Amino acid sequence: MKHSAILIMVFVFLSGNITFVSGQDKKTREEKRQEKFEETVQLIESMNFIFEADRAFPQGGASIDLTTNYGFLKVKKDSTAVGDLPFFGRAFSVDYGGNGGIEFTGAIEELDYSVNKEKKRISYSFKVKDDDYYQIHFDISYDGDASLNVVSQNRSSIRYNGDISVPEEE
């Protein structure tokens, strides 16, 4: 009888501690999300980040894995953007023998971004003019996962999924 009373007391003690610890984990998880969100906001506001695409979603087609044919879009501190993204879709007016991808280097125009603190999401958009005129729109989650929409005058629109990060030094 003495052993069962001790076992019951140990069980009650351990179950109370497990509840306490799991309550702490939820709080720290939310704090970690908030910290990661604040880091992502700082990265976007620094205007020095790179988006690396890992999946493409052409208009009216199936998604395409880009692990062997990845692309990127880099936003630089000098208010320029450099893009080299594979393109899958319909081209309306492209030079004959062109490379087929979306490639540009140009000044960022009409920059607009907003931060939704409740949903921990960032909306970031701008325009770039090179050989074509591109409208770029990012939807960025708290941890840097991003969706990139590219609208062009000479091609159908396309969406990419990937990650935003700090670019490697050149």
Side-chain angles (χ1 to χ4, degrees), residues 32 43 46 48 71 76 78 97 99 127 133 148 158 168:
K32 287 179 184 177
L43 179 62
S46 75
N48 186 32
K76 296 182 170 186
D78 63 356
N99 69 357
K127 296 179 181 179
Y133 197 69
L148 166 66
I158 186 167
E168 294 179 9

Side-chain angles (χ1 to χ4, degrees), residues 32-101:
K32 287 179 184 177
R33 282 187 73 175
Q34 184 62 34
E35 288 174 10
K36 188 68 178 163
F37 176 64
E38 289 170 7
E39 289 173 11
T40 303
V41 169
Q42 287 176 350
L43 179 62
I44 297 304
E45 289 178 347
S46 75
M47 288 200 59
N48 186 32
F49 62 88
I50 187 167
F51 168 80
E52 293 179 308
D54 56 25
R55 185 160 287 284
F57 298 87
Q59 193 175 44
S63 69
I64 299 166
D65 183 24
L66 300 178
T67 53
T68 59
N69 189 19
Y70 79 97
F72 71 90
L73 191 150
K74 188 183 292 189
V75 174
K76 296 182 170 186
K77 287 182 182 180
D78 63 356
S79 296
T80 61
V82 177
D84 185 3
L85 298 160
F87 179 74
F88 309 94
R90 186 171 174 198
F92 306 117
S93 174
V94 178
D95 293 337
Y96 184 75
N99 69 357

Side-chain angles (χ1 to χ4, degrees), residues 128-143:
V128 175
K129 183 172 173 129
D130 197 1
D131 292 339
D132 197 352
Y133 197 69
Y134 299 99
Q135 295 176 345
I136 309 295
H137 178 78
F138 286 103
D139 185 26
I140 306 164
S141 69
Y142 76 96
D143 61 352

Side-chain angles (χ1 to χ4, degrees), residues 30 34 37 116-121 140-142:
E30 183 58 34
Q34 184 62 34
F37 176 64
N116 185 331
K117 292 180 181 179
E118 285 181 21
K119 294 183 179 180
K120 293 183 177 44
R121 298 201 68 81
I140 306 164
S141 69
Y142 76 96

Side-chain angles (χ1 to χ4, degrees), residues 3-18:
H3 291 295
S4 23
I6 291 173
L7 285 174
I8 291 172
M9 287 176 39
V10 168
F11 178 74
V12 168
F13 177 74
L14 288 177
S15 65
N17 283 340
I18 290 171

